[in-house]
Each structure stands twice: as C-alpha cells, then as structure tokens.
Amino acid sequence: MILITGGAGYIGSHINKQLHKDGYDTVVLDNLSFGHESALKWGEFIEGDLKDIDIIKSIFNDFDIDAVMHFAAFTSVAESVKYPQKYYKNNYKNTLNLLNSMKKANINKFIFSSTAAVYGNPKMIPISENHPLNPITPYGKSKVMVEQTLAKLANSHDFSYCSLRYFNASGADPECEIGEDHKDETHLIPLILDVAIGKRDKIAIFGDNYETKDGTCIRDYIHVCDLASAHIKALEHIQNTSENSQSEIGVNKKNNDNNNISNKSNVFNLGNGNGFSVKEVIDACEEITKCDIKKEVVEPRDGDPAILIADSQKAMDVLNWKPQYDDLEKIVKTAWMWHKKLNNL
Ligand code: UFG
C-alpha cells in the first residue's frame, strides 16, 4: 500500500488515480487546507496534518505501507517570499516528522514532490539535474533542504528515494474527474481560463521586458498525467533497484553536488523540454477556448526567472518515461474541459 500525503491536492490526486489504475492500494493523508474532498475518489482517506506525529504513527500502524509519496506542501512561490517561516515549517519541518516516523516504522521508500524552483535563476538552458542548486525563494529553499536531508538518509541508512523536480504542472485528468482547483489561484493557465469564462476581466502579464523572444517569461508546461506516470515509474525504479541495489544507476556516481546520493536513489527533472512564453500560452488558450482574452502588462512578479526549460533526458533514459502530452494545445484542452466542468458550464 502507498501512503500519499497531500493526495487531495492537484498533483497528488492525479497520482492517486493513476496508482489505482495500475493496481496499487493507497491511503491519502491530507488536512484539506488546500485539497478537496471531491478529489478523494480512490483508496482510503485520513484527515490530518504532518505536524501531528501521532497521526503519522497511527497510519503506519494501521496500514501496511510499502512506500510514501509526499506532496503535502505549500506551493506558492510569491507567498513564500512574504511568509518564509510558514514554508520552512510546513515544507521542511513537517517533512522531517514524516521521515522520522518512516524510519521508526521501517518504511524506506520515498517519492518526493520537488520543483524547478530549486535551480533559481538558471545559468544554462535547458536545465539538467547537474545544474547548481541556487533557489531564490523560501519555497525553493524549503525543497532543497528536504532534498539534502534525503541524500543524507540515503547515504547513511537503508533508505531509497526519488526526488522529482517538476517544471510547470498543468492540464487535468482527460476523463475530467479531477483537475486544478486552487483556493486562491495564482497559476497562469487557470487564470487565463477564468478570463475565458468571464470570471475575471483580464489576465495580467507579469512583465514584458525579459530577455526572451517576446519579452514575457518562458516556462516548460508539463501535463499532470505525465507527472503521474513518472511517479509510478520512479516508484518501480526504487522497488527494483532496492531489490538489486547494484543495478543500473551508475548515473549518480559521477555527480558532485546536488546528486551526491546512493545508487538506489535518484533525482529527476520532469518537463517537456519545450518553452512557451506567457503570450504564447494566452494565444493557445484563445485558440482552444475560441474566446478573446483581454490582457494587460503589469510589473514583473518577484522571484520569477525569465526562462525555465527542463532537460528531462535522465528521466527518459533511466525511468523509461516519455511525456504523452507533448504540446501546449493538448495540455490546454484538458485544462479547459476541466475548467468548464468546475464552473458548471
Ligand atoms: N504569470 C503571469 N500572470 C499571471 C500568472 C502568471 O504573467 O497572472 C506568469 C508568471 O510570471 C510566470 C508564468 O506566468 O512567468 C507561469 O506562472 P505560474 O504562476 O503559473 O507558475 P510559476 O512558473 O510561477 O511556478 C510554477 C509552480 C512552482 C514551480 C514552478 C517551476 O507554481 O511551484 O512552476 O517552474 F516551482
């Protein structure tokens, strides 16, 4: 059985669905502060918070957990700049609670929801896993702190993990059962779709003076179902290499800084390898929704690098992973289907 922390949230719920499709049993732990009960369609559910060590303990007592997938975290880059302590507490300290409890319960397989924000302002594009870690926001820093702890654990104990550094998660379940539904939405695609349905007047473009082709920021949008398939492949990778720890993963050995971990464990970027500017994303949304999207250029947002594009070759080679939603239209189509359903249209 797999424990999914944050399994009522956007990314966690898509992975929960995919795990069930693939025959896994799951238990979700979520405090429902940002997750939704309506996303809890598969497996067991325990309402609770990772600051509560007793609840983690009782899950490990009551269920036969083989591995943990950890999504529960605050995710707003901008908010983390305003309230850093909140991020260090929830994203780092509470993860330590989880890891300590796992150790006590002899559970030694862990999949971690990490982020491209660990790289900060990239020195080279596309960004591979060997790019220096230089987070520029507390959100990114909190994720690096967890990754460093994981590397230490893997080197000193019988503990295996994969840390998956997502670029811009987007899109929705093509069967439209679940999708993106953040309480205070800050993400580009759902905000543009809000304009399309008339819920918002216009989309603010955060700066058009970046050193990019049209002056707006470029991001690598990766479909949430492609993230889901990568998580399952990462889990299988850990399970297989844990059984045969001397297997294929020499890949890490030559790395120096951020991948200095045992050969059972690994770090992977997850992106499509294509960058789209804010303006291009708006154009794609206009094309799919057939609506004119009103826009206004405003001041740049703090902590936004000009360009983030992933080199995900390592995940493709080692995990045999390949994104299925490899163009923006396909991604926006599923987001639009979900967005209409969410808003009863
Ligand atoms: N943007 C706008 N207007 C908006 C919202 C966003 O112009 O109203 C721009 C942002 O400046 C950025 C791009 O659209 O250039 C994407 O912004 P999002 O807020 O959708 O996503 P971010 O790139 O800021 O962050 C996301 C996740 C992070 C993760 C990061 C990794 O939210 O957790 O991708 O690439 F770290």
Side-chain angles (χ1 to χ4, degrees):
M1 193 171 216
I2 312 297
L3 169 63
I4 308 176
T5 74
Y10 171 43
I11 300 177
S13 62
H14 284 79
I15 277 93
N16 191 21
K17 176 170 181 177
Q18 191 60 49
L19 281 166
H20 278 265
K21 274 198 169 164
D22 290 3
Y24 288 91
D25 291 324
T26 62
V27 53
V28 166
L29 171 66
D30 200 299
N31 64 10
L32 296 181
S33 63
F34 289 97
H36 301 277
E37 269 183 278
S38 57
L40 292 164
K41 295 181 196 288
W42 304 275
E44 306 279 343
F45 170 57
I46 307 290
E47 185 169 351
D49 197 291
L50 287 172
K51 66 174 181 246
D52 181 354
I53 293 173
D54 288 338
I55 212 158
I56 310 173
K57 243 197 227 165
S58 74
I59 292 174
F60 291 154
N61 275 333
D62 297 347
F63 299 95
D64 188 11
I65 305 292
D66 304 303
V68 175
M69 292 197 179
H70 179 40
F71 301 93
F74 294 144
T75 59
S76 163
V77 174
E79 186 193 48
S80 81
V81 176
K82 236 173 152 183
Y83 306 109
Q85 289 310 323
K86 191 173 160 183
Y87 277 70
Y88 295 124
K89 252 196 196 154
N90 192 42
N91 294 5
Y92 179 62
K93 197 163 167 275
N94 289 349
T95 302
L96 292 186
N97 289 345
L98 177 64
L99 292 168
N100 287 333
S101 306
M102 284 177 65
K103 198 168 162 216
K104 284 186 187 140
N106 287 321
I107 297 163
N108 61 2
K109 298 182 188 70
F110 192 76
I111 306 292
F112 180 55
S113 169
S114 189
T115 170
V118 298
Y119 299 114
N121 284 314
K123 290 192 183 351
M124 57 280 230
I125 295 287
I127 304 169
S128 80
E129 294 81 357
N130 290 324
H131 186 286
L133 301 184
N134 187 22
I136 53 171
T137 62
Y139 169 67
K141 281 182 196 153
S142 69
K143 294 285 181 174
V144 169
M145 286 159 75
V146 174
E147 286 201 358
Q148 286 168 342
T149 304
L150 292 174
K152 276 189 199 139
L153 279 175
N155 280 327
S156 58
H157 295 95
D158 175 21
F159 176 83
S160 309
Y161 75 93
C162 281
S163 183
L164 303 179
R165 295 175 181 160
Y166 318 149
F167 282 63
N168 286 57
S170 44
D173 170 29
E175 289 159 9
C176 233
E177 289 189 282
I178 45 178
E180 192 163 14
D181 182 11
H182 295 113
K183 278 185 183 130
D184 294 310
E185 192 52 80
T186 60
H187 293 96
L188 181 63
I189 293 176
L191 287 176
I192 299 171
L193 299 181
D194 271 352
V195 180
I197 62 168
K199 206 168 152 184
R200 286 172 208 266
D201 283 355
K202 57 190 167 198
I203 184 74
I205 297 176
F206 295 147
D208 67 349
N209 212 7
Y210 287 94
E211 280 184 29
T212 60
K213 52 191 165 187
D214 62 19
T216 65
C217 285
I218 290 180
R219 293 288 180 272
D220 182 338
Y221 294 86
I222 176 80
H223 196 278
V224 66
C225 290
D226 285 326
L227 292 182
S229 67
H231 282 73
I232 294 172
K233 284 180 179 291
L235 176 67
E236 288 164 355
H237 165 77
I238 286 183
Q239 285 166 334
N240 296 338
T241 50
S242 292
E243 278 154 26
N244 177 18
S245 63
Q246 294 311 310
S247 64
E248 71 206 85
I249 315 305
V251 186
N252 290 314
K253 294 232 150 181
K254 60 176 188 267
N255 295 335
N256 35 32
D257 47 5
N258 70 63
N259 294 323
N260 184 18
I261 46 185
S262 86
N263 62 358
K264 292 182 192 176
S265 297
N266 227 321
V267 175
F268 298 103
N269 283 344
L270 299 177
N272 259 314
N274 297 316
F276 294 94
S277 73
V278 174
K279 284 185 179 164
E280 286 173 330
V281 176
I282 297 172
D283 289 347
C285 291
E286 284 188 325
E287 179 75 30
I288 299 294
T289 62
K290 311 277 178 243
C291 295
D292 275 340
I293 308 287
K294 215 173 140 194
K295 41 203 161 287
E296 181 189 16
V297 177
V298 299
E299 285 300 299
R301 186 172 66 176
D302 275 353
D304 264 346
I307 306 180
L308 290 173
I309 300 174
D311 174 349
S312 303
Q313 195 58 45
K314 186 173 159 189
M316 294 184 195
D317 292 345
V318 177
L319 300 178
N320 199 21
W321 171 75
K322 193 172 181 321
Q324 302 301 309
Y325 293 83
D326 48 5
D327 72 55
L328 192 57
E329 259 84 35
K330 280 194 203 166
I331 293 176
V332 172
K333 240 182 217 170
T334 61
W336 179 229
M337 268 173 15
W338 164 254
H339 209 76
K340 284 190 289 185
K341 182 178 172 186
L342 183 66
N343 290 281
N344 304 313
L345 295 172

